[in-house]
Amino acid sequence: MKRTNQNAIKNLFPYLILVVVIFVVLSVLNIGRTTVHEITTGELMSEIANKNVTEITITPSGEESVYYIDGKLGSYGENEQFRATVVEAEIDSITKYAESNNLKVYETNPDPGTISWWYIIINIVPLLILVGATYYIFMKMANSNKGSMDFGKSRAKLSSDGGKVRFKDVAGLKEEKEEVAELIDFLKNPKKFQKLGARIPKGVLLVGPPGTGKTLLAKAVAGEANVPFYFISGSDFVELFVGVGASRVRDMFKEAKRNAPCLIFIDEIDAVGRQRGSGIGGGHDEREQTLNQLLTEMDGFGANEGIIIIAATNRPDVLDPALLRPGRFDRQVTVNLPDTEEREAILEVHAKNKILAPNVNLKSISQRTSGFSGADLENLMNEAALLAVRRDEPAITLQDIDEATDRVLMGPAKTSRKLSGDVKWLTAVHESGHAVLGLKLKDAMEVQKITIVPRGMAGGYTAYTPKEDNISRYTKNEMIAMITSCLGGRAAEELFLDDITTGASDDFKRATGLARSMVTEYGMSDLGPIRYEANSSENVFLGRDYNKTKNYSDQVALEIDQEARKIIMECYENAKKILKENKDLVMLLSHTLIERETITKEQIDELVRKGKIEGGSFDISDEPTLTKLREEAKSLKIKGYSKMSKDELEQAISDAENEMEQE
């Protein structure tokens, strides 16, 4: 708001200057000047004799030997004066007569043949000031409107730090760097390629999920080649008026040819490069004309002119096929999510300017952050630093990083929400069901953490990580294990609680999606290796056609539903079987969660090995005694007995027996 007020004042400043100048000029020129009474020489002499004249001024008229005598009479008002016209021969006698009557005489210019400088200042200079001020204001207005006349100019900007980024600043992406390395060789030494008749790719398309480092990789190419780096977003081409985007494309390539060799980076190219004539409502004239001009310009310059275009998108499936043909974007480089080693390297880059506690192991953190992109890891370290500052700690601890991981995934912990004992016990049993299946299923992912602290929309959660960084491909057994783990919460509720809750709704959503994908996309059912449905990412608003062909009959649709239900029910029965066999472990984890609220992988492993956590926790050896105490408490109709510890049960039973004796 403050900047807006400053800009408004700045825009009004020329007009204020013009008002002041006009006011000064009008004042100097004396608009609305005093009334002048013409009198004769005789009348003047008579008024002087009567002592009625206060002062007189003699001024040459500009004509030879003719003067004006101006003055004021005692009876005149403030804006009145007289004027008498006399010849040069009468000047001396009038002057002597006035002085003899003690009247002061002023002579502005005794020589009528010359022009008074005061006359020039009074009459000419104000006009010059007015003309100059008017010219200044018109020029100011013309310059302020200059930008509105340049809407057809390119919006591509020359990066100020494009020459500073190097490959060493880009952690990971080993194969991706090798793919673009020859672009650097061409920009540095194009003659080497021209000598053998090699055609360097005109365009390289970087494809990958958001935050994986596509823009940083493009900057590193420009930095290593030490050439100008122009960057622009796909949305900067498209405007309200048809033809503006095409004009900007022409101007961008014109500027690039003047500065070749150079590199042009177009971010989010799908904003302008989507398929033509697709989607609801048909095409978009401005976007399609812009795309047509881009296609023409990429064909319009030779293979070795020194201009290379790098574009980035996370939706290559919606791009127009003409944009991806050889001669335009010749090469696609997939920038994947980092694996464990790459995540460790990225964490080291983002930890350079941070103070870490001695117990922080970046390798361990990289193993627990499967599926994180480079941007996620940068945000993770920044959140950990903010938490350390908030807690007034001298260094970033492992606890800060764990908390930051949870914040990135699920949101901040809702520590102010006080949960009752019943709700905490329900959540603990639910999450323990997930965790036990993750521990006991051979093909399940590793359990990293269990918590009953509410975060976001979840009352608690169990964190898993893949055993290997194979996040793009899963076996059938791994898919079955994931579905079974998702159903573990509801299975535990049904087995160990007197009721079931709505907390498993999101688990059902994930399990149903996985089961249906196994049937319709991956061919992992009795319906055979047939793809019945397209991937859900092919949505109409992203550039696909509105009407999708239904490539299966109603009978097959029924069979698909039956197969998906069969997979889920088999997984659910298996989940209940495993949990029944490991009831002691479920109770152990549940009681430990009630006590600690959050337990990590190391603590879970310790519980499985020893039955307790060093430093105090529920001991699995107490379970037989607890079973007897619960049965006794149930017979005594003690409320909430299933959530009580051993000591609490003994006290409650003793109190109940005392009450019965008193009765």
Side-chain angles (χ1 to χ4, degrees):
M1 181 65 70
K2 183 177 181 181
R3 183 176 293 275
T4 303
N5 293 336
Q6 291 177 348
N7 291 336
I9 294 174
K10 185 177 179 181
N11 294 332
L12 289 175
F13 187 69
Y15 300 99
L16 294 176
I17 293 178
L18 180 61
V19 171
V20 172
V21 170
I22 293 174
F23 177 77
V24 172
V25 170
L26 292 178
S27 299
V28 173
L29 293 177
N30 196 17
I31 299 300
R33 63 183 66 219
T34 58
T35 304
V36 179
H37 302 280
E38 294 288 342
I39 62 175
T40 63
T41 305
E43 291 174 337
L44 174 61
M45 299 295 284
S46 176
E47 294 292 345
I48 292 174
N50 294 330
K51 308 294 185 180
N52 198 24
V53 179
T54 57
E55 62 180 30
I56 61 173
T57 302
I58 301 175
T59 306
S61 66
E63 299 180 10
E64 188 175 358
S65 301
V66 178
Y67 288 81
Y68 294 133
I69 298 179
D70 300 316
K72 294 179 67 69
L73 301 179
S75 58
Y76 283 177
E78 183 179 355
N79 294 323
E80 289 183 290
Q81 69 178 29
F82 65 81
R83 167 167 290 183
T85 304
V86 298
V87 296
E88 184 179 3
E90 298 175 334
I91 290 297
D92 290 339
S93 60
I94 294 174
T95 301
K96 291 179 181 180
Y97 186 73
E99 289 176 349
S100 65
N101 285 278
N102 298 321
L103 182 63
K104 194 168 184 178
V105 179
Y106 297 94
E107 295 186 23
T108 57
N109 188 355
D111 184 6
T114 61
I115 300 176
S116 171
W117 284 104
W118 181 248
Y119 176 83
I120 295 175
I121 293 174
I122 294 296
N123 295 278
I124 305 299
V125 171
L127 294 176
L128 294 177
I129 294 175
L130 182 61
V131 172
T134 305
Y135 175 78
Y136 168 77
I137 290 172
F138 276 109
M139 292 299 297
K140 191 76 173 178
M141 294 174 62
N143 290 333
S144 64
N145 293 328
K146 186 177 180 181
S148 61
M149 303 302 294
D150 292 340
F151 54 82
K153 297 292 184 181
S154 171
R155 293 293 191 267
K157 299 178 182 178
L158 182 63
S159 175
S160 58
D161 60 347
K164 299 178 182 179
V165 181
R166 298 290 188 271
F167 276 166
K168 65 181 181 181
D169 302 317
V170 184
L173 303 181
K174 180 180 178 181
E175 292 79 9
E176 290 81 355
K177 292 177 185 176
E178 293 175 354
E179 282 291 319
V180 298
E182 65 184 7
L183 301 180
I184 300 171
D185 293 337
F186 170 74
L187 292 171
K188 285 184 175 179
N189 187 14
K191 293 183 179 179
K192 180 174 66 174
F193 293 83
Q194 296 170 0
K195 182 179 180 180
L196 296 178
R199 181 182 66 83
I200 202 70
K202 292 182 180 180
V204 176
L205 184 65
L206 302 180
V207 179
T212 50
K214 300 184 289 295
T215 302
L216 189 62
L217 182 62
K219 286 186 176 182
V221 173
E224 291 287 343
N226 195 25
V227 296
F229 175 71
Y230 292 93
F231 66 96
I232 188 172
S233 173
S235 60
D236 287 335
F237 290 110
V238 182
E239 279 287 352
L240 173 65
F241 304 105
V242 176
V244 174
S247 175
R248 289 178 178 175
V249 171
R250 288 191 295 269
D251 189 67
M252 180 181 70
F253 280 92
K254 181 180 178 181
E255 181 72 16
K257 290 176 182 179
R258 284 201 299 261
N259 294 278
C262 68
L263 191 148
I264 300 174
F265 176 64
I266 305 176
D267 198 10
E268 304 296 344
I269 194 173
D270 51 278
V272 69
R274 293 181 186 175
Q275 285 187 352
R276 289 166 287 187
S278 61
I280 296 177
H284 183 289
D285 285 341
E286 165 63 355
R287 179 172 55 79
E288 292 186 5
Q289 287 198 25
T290 305
L291 175 59
N292 291 337
Q293 187 63 43
L294 180 62
L295 298 174
T296 303
E297 290 291 340
M298 291 189 72
D299 269 345
F301 63 88
N304 295 315
E305 287 189 10
I307 302 174
I308 295 178
I309 303 176
I310 297 181
T313 181
N314 54 5
R315 291 304 312 273
D317 55 310
V318 303
L319 295 180
D320 194 279
L323 198 62
L324 303 178
R325 74 158 175 80
R328 288 179 180 137
F329 283 100
D330 308 77
R331 184 178 299 175
Q332 290 190 29
V333 177
T334 302
V335 185
N336 287 314
L337 291 171
D339 58 21
T340 303
E341 294 182 359
E342 291 174 333
R343 289 197 298 272
E344 183 179 358
I346 294 171
L347 287 170
E348 289 176 354
V349 170
H350 296 305
K352 284 182 179 179
N353 62 339
K354 296 177 175 62
I355 302 175
L356 302 180
N359 65 335
V360 175
N361 187 342
L362 296 180
K363 183 175 182 180
S364 175
I365 297 170
S366 68
Q367 293 173 347
R368 298 205 302 253
T369 52
S370 178
F372 277 47
S373 66
D376 292 331
L377 294 172
E378 189 276 335
N379 187 35
L380 169 65
M381 295 303 296
N382 184 62
E383 287 287 345
L386 292 175
L387 286 170
V389 172
R390 190 180 305 168
R391 296 169 179 174
D392 198 21
E393 297 172 344
I396 301 172
T397 64
L398 188 60
Q399 181 183 0
D400 296 326
I401 296 177
D402 284 338
E403 174 66 18
T405 305
D406 293 338
R407 291 173 69 92
V408 171
L409 290 174
M410 304 292 294
K414 298 182 179 180
T415 55
S416 61
R417 182 184 296 177
K418 302 299 181 183
L419 302 180
S420 65
D422 291 341
V423 175
K424 289 182 70 174
W425 177 252
L426 291 173
T427 307
V429 172
H430 181 101
E431 298 303 333
S432 297
H434 287 306
V436 169
L437 291 176
L439 293 170
K440 296 302 178 180
L441 287 170
K442 177 184 176 182
D443 297 299
M445 293 188 287
E446 292 184 352
V447 179
Q448 292 290 338
K449 178 186 287 188
I450 318 171
T451 180
I452 58 173
V453 177
R455 288 181 182 273
M457 300 298 293
Y461 72 95
T462 303
Y464 301 93
T465 57
K467 294 178 180 178
E468 297 181 3
D469 279 322
N470 188 24
I471 56 178
S472 61
R473 182 176 299 173
Y474 297 100
T475 65
K476 180 179 179 179
N477 289 334
E478 288 173 341
M479 297 282 288
I480 293 293
M482 282 190 278
I483 296 173
T484 306
S485 297
C486 288
L487 300 173
R490 169 55 65 85
E493 292 176 1
E494 184 177 333
L495 290 173
F496 308 120
L497 300 175
D498 298 332
D499 201 354
I500 56 177
T501 70
T502 60
S505 60
D506 188 62
D507 299 330
F508 296 158
K509 178 181 177 181
R510 293 168 53 204
T512 304
L514 290 171
R516 193 168 185 87
S517 295
M518 289 178 65
V519 177
T520 60
E521 295 182 42
Y522 307 136
M524 296 179 178
S525 71
D526 294 339
L527 294 183
I530 302 174
R531 190 184 188 192
Y532 293 101
E533 292 180 356
N535 192 301
S536 59
S537 64
E538 296 180 357
N539 293 320
V540 56
F541 60 87
L542 290 175
R544 290 300 179 189
D545 293 333
Y546 182 72
N547 295 319
K548 290 199 301 185
T549 303
K550 185 180 179 180
N551 51 7
Y552 53 84
S553 64
D554 293 339
Q555 177 62 32
V556 174
L558 175 61
E559 293 178 4
I560 290 173
D561 294 338
Q562 291 174 340
E563 284 294 319
R565 185 175 185 275
K566 176 184 175 183
I567 292 173
I568 290 177
M569 294 310 297
E570 288 179 353
C571 290
Y572 187 63
E573 293 301 323
N574 189 34
K576 290 198 294 184
K577 177 184 176 183
I578 294 173
L579 292 179
K580 283 181 181 178
E581 295 172 353
N582 296 274
K583 177 183 177 182
D584 293 346
L585 183 56
V586 174
M587 292 296 107
L588 173 62
L589 292 175
S590 300
H591 283 284
T592 306
L593 283 170
I594 292 294
E595 178 184 337
R596 294 175 175 262
E597 292 191 338
T598 300
I599 50 178
T600 62
K601 182 179 185 300
E602 293 76 12
Q603 293 172 326
I604 295 170
D605 293 340
E606 188 176 358
L607 281 172
V608 174
R609 290 194 315 269
K610 301 179 180 179
K612 62 180 179 179
I613 299 174
E614 297 296 336
S617 178
F618 177 77
D619 195 330
I620 195 171
S621 61
D622 292 334
E623 184 60 27
T625 305
L626 279 172
T627 302
K628 294 179 181 179
L629 291 173
R630 290 192 189 107
E631 291 176 355
E632 187 176 354
K634 183 177 181 181
S635 63
L636 293 173
K637 298 181 179 181
I638 297 175
K639 294 182 179 180
Y641 67 89
S642 62
K643 298 174 284 298
M644 294 181 182
S645 64
K646 178 182 176 182
D647 295 338
E648 291 172 338
L649 282 169
E650 290 175 345
Q651 183 63 43
I653 292 171
S654 177
D655 293 341
E657 290 175 347
N658 291 334
E659 290 179 1
M660 291 175 64
E661 290 177 358
Q662 292 176 1
E663 292 176 356

